[in-house]
């Protein structure tokens, strides 16, 4: 089990062996806390909500009776600041996510009571609750929509510069804001949620280059599914070689361990990793001289190998140093077991000498199957397999 950050979420990578039960190809299970962290970053910490609220324009507030039974009007009412916004998330089984945003809005404008003109400041607590679901799945993409939006006003504090505030002015402001603010705030939240949805869903439909060998294309395999305890995301992963040919792999679904205290679990099946390894491990044949500098004790080895050279090959003796050529053959395989991963590689090892005249002479040819112990780790947000000889 390995931890990394994916789409802003802390991820625990689970490598799944074929013996485990199946549920979906590349599967993610996301906790409500992880969803809340991601949405808080995208909506609040990045200033997206505040940015779209800055353009909020409130209608004038007109009242028939005010101080000393005079008409009251409040004009030029605008948002000055958004105080202490907070966000919470609840998963709605079979629907999606219920998002609640709580904030204090500071409004300011001009107040005319009878013939008295004054500046007015209004602080109002608001709670906005929106039910969010994903719909219209097609070709790995979905549309994020708000089904219901409810805006509830809490405490309202009103202050006039002169301090002459009557109960009637307070009632006029309360009634007007209660009638108008929900119709202004819910469309803003709808815009913000759509922008965040496009941003986050775009990270679930991405083409990742693997050097110059090819690409891995990730995309959603189906609509996200919400239970009461996790949000499930099933992904497809197409491994393509340079030129567009796809390396096939078994896309049978995979199960995931329970979230427990984890924020997110991502399951990578063995078959998918094998396809990715086939793309990544495409090394050209490696040739190097077998010299004492490269391999201590190479001189005795060279003498032993030279003893195998046919006696009739007089031109072969006294030639250049012994060389080794290693060529990978077949497809690499990763084998997953409980708390263990092994990579199997087949290689051809050729030892040869190069006479002064004529072609190279192969003196030893070995076909070997290598079992490499794989150590799974995360470096720079990437899944890394470190290998060592078993």
């Amino acid at each position: 089990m390995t931890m990394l950050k994916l789409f802003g979420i802390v991820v625990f990578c689970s490598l799944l062996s074929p013996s485990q039960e199946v549920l979906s190809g590349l599967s993610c299970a996301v906790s409500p806390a992880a969803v809340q962290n991601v949405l808080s970053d995208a909506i609040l910490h990045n200033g997206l909500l505040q940015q779209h609220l800055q353009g909020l324009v409130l209608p004038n507030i007109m009242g028939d009776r005010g101080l000393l039974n005079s008409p009251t009007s409040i004009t030029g009412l605008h948002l000055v600041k958004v105080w202490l916004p907070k966000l919470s998330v609840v998963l709605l089984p079979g629907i999606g996510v219920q998002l609640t945003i709580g904030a204090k809005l500071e409004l300011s404008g001009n107040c005319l009571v009878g013939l008295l003109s004054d500046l007015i400041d209004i602080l109002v607590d608001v709670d906005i609750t929106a039910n969010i679901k994903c719909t219209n799945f097609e070709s790995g993409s979905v549309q994020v929509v708000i089904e219901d939006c409810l805006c509830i006003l809490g405490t309202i504090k009103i202050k006039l510069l002169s301090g002459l505030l009557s109960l009637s002015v307070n009632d006029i402001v309360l009634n007007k804001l209660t009638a108008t603010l929900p119709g202004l705030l819910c469309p803003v939240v709808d815009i913000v949620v759509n922008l965040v949805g496009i941003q986050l869903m775009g990270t679930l439909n991405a083409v990742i280059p693997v050097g110059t060998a090819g690409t891995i294309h990730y995309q959603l395999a189906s609509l996200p599914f919400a239970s009461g305890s996790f949000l499930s995301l099933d992904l497809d992963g197409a491994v393509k070689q340079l030129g567009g040919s796809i390396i096939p792999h078994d896309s049978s679904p995979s199960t995931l361990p329970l979230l427990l205290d984890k924020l997110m679990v991502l399951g990578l099946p063995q078959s998918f990793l094998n396809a990715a390894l086939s793309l990544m491990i495409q090394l050209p044949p490696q040739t190097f001289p077998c010299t004492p500098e490269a391999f201590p004790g190479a001189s005795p080895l060279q003498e032993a190998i030279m003893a195998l050279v046919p006696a009739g090959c007089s031109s072969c003796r006294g030639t250049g140093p012994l060389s080794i050529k290693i060529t990978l053959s077949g497809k690499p395989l990763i084998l997953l077991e409980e708390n263990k991963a092994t990579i199997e590689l087949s290689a051809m090892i050729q030892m040869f000498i190069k006479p002064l005249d004529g072609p190279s002479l192969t003196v030893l040819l070995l076909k070997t199957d290598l079992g490499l112990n794989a150590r799974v780790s995360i470096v720079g947000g990437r899944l890394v397999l470190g290998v060592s000889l078993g």
Side-chain angles (χ1 to χ4, degrees):
M1 200 71 68
T2 307
M3 183 179 70
L4 72 155
K5 274 204 168 185
L6 182 67
F7 319 133
I9 306 175
V10 177
V11 178
F12 289 81
C13 249
S14 177
L15 304 182
L16 304 173
S17 66
S19 61
Q20 293 172 280
E21 295 181 7
V22 293
L23 186 132
S24 118
L26 301 176
S27 297
C28 301
V30 190
S31 72
V35 177
Q36 182 168 309
N37 290 345
V38 170
L39 292 180
S40 292
D41 286 341
I43 295 176
L44 300 184
H45 300 159
N46 292 339
L48 189 63
L49 179 65
Q50 291 90 326
Q51 174 188 339
H52 283 79
L53 283 176
Q54 287 303 321
L56 198 66
V57 177
L58 289 89
N60 294 334
I61 299 176
M62 311 300 294
D64 293 334
R65 299 174 63 82
L67 186 64
L68 305 176
N69 293 325
S70 301
T72 301
S73 66
I74 299 173
T75 58
L77 200 59
H78 60 280
L79 180 70
V80 175
K81 190 173 182 179
V82 182
W83 292 87
L84 303 175
K86 59 182 180 179
L87 182 149
S88 61
V89 162
V90 175
L91 296 182
L92 302 177
I95 297 175
V97 174
Q98 184 177 81
L99 171 69
T100 300
I101 299 174
K104 184 185 294 290
L105 306 182
E106 180 182 347
L107 309 173
S108 183
N110 301 309
C111 181
L112 181 64
V113 180
L115 299 177
L116 300 176
S117 180
D118 208 344
L119 294 177
I120 187 169
D121 291 321
I122 303 171
L123 287 177
V124 54
D125 293 328
V126 295
D127 283 308
I128 308 166
T129 301
N131 293 342
I132 305 171
K133 70 178 297 185
C134 293
T135 185
N136 298 334
F137 173 79
E138 184 177 357
S139 301
S141 64
V142 297
Q143 182 182 0
V144 177
V145 299
I146 290 182
E147 281 200 325
D148 298 297
C149 181
L150 177 65
C151 179
I152 299 177
L153 272 58
T155 303
I156 296 181
K157 296 180 179 179
I158 305 173
K159 183 177 71 173
L160 288 174
L161 187 62
S162 64
L164 299 175
L165 180 65
S166 68
L167 289 177
S168 59
V169 173
N170 190 86
D171 291 340
I172 292 170
V173 172
L174 176 61
N175 293 335
K176 190 64 175 182
L177 292 182
T178 301
T180 59
L181 267 184
L184 297 173
L185 295 178
C186 280
V188 171
V189 172
D190 185 59
I191 292 172
V192 169
V193 167
N194 272 279
L195 291 174
V196 170
I198 293 171
Q199 173 190 344
L200 294 181
M201 290 303 169
T203 66
L204 298 176
N205 192 339
V207 177
I208 310 298
V210 182
T212 58
T215 60
I216 298 177
H217 183 193
Y218 297 98
Q219 67 176 16
L220 277 174
S222 60
L223 279 172
F225 172 78
S227 71
S229 56
F230 65 87
L231 180 66
S232 173
L233 303 170
D234 295 336
L235 304 175
D236 278 336
V239 182
K240 294 184 179 181
Q241 293 177 312
L242 187 66
S245 60
I246 295 178
I247 300 176
H249 68 275
D250 182 8
S251 58
S252 299
S254 337
T255 196
L256 290 174
L258 296 176
L259 282 171
L260 298 178
D261 58 341
K262 304 170 184 62
L263 293 178
M264 177 176 175
V265 172
L266 168 67
L268 302 176
Q270 177 176 296
S271 58
F272 172 76
L273 291 175
N274 282 334
L277 281 174
S278 298
L279 186 66
M280 291 185 288
I281 305 180
Q282 294 186 10
L283 301 177
Q286 303 293 308
T287 303
F288 42 87
C290 184
T291 61
E293 292 78 15
F295 296 96
S299 294
L301 173 65
Q302 200 161 351
E303 293 175 4
I305 295 297
M306 289 302 294
L308 300 175
V309 176
C313 185
S314 58
S315 64
C316 298
R317 300 182 181 276
T319 59
L322 180 71
S323 296
I324 296 178
K325 182 179 182 180
I326 301 178
T327 305
L328 294 181
S329 60
K331 294 182 178 181
L333 294 176
I334 186 167
L335 303 177
L336 302 177
E337 303 173 72
E338 187 71 26
N339 298 321
K340 181 181 179 182
T342 306
I343 294 178
E344 292 188 350
L345 291 175
S346 295
M348 193 71 71
I349 301 176
Q350 177 189 12
M351 292 186 177
F352 64 94
I353 55 176
K354 177 69 176 176
L356 297 176
D357 298 315
S360 300
L361 174 65
T362 298
V363 295
L364 185 64
L365 187 63
L366 297 175
K367 181 181 179 183
T368 178
D369 293 325
L370 302 176
L372 306 176
N373 294 326
R375 184 182 69 258
V376 182
S377 60
I378 301 301
V379 178
R382 296 176 180 270
L383 182 65
V384 175
L385 297 177
V387 296
S388 60
L389 280 172

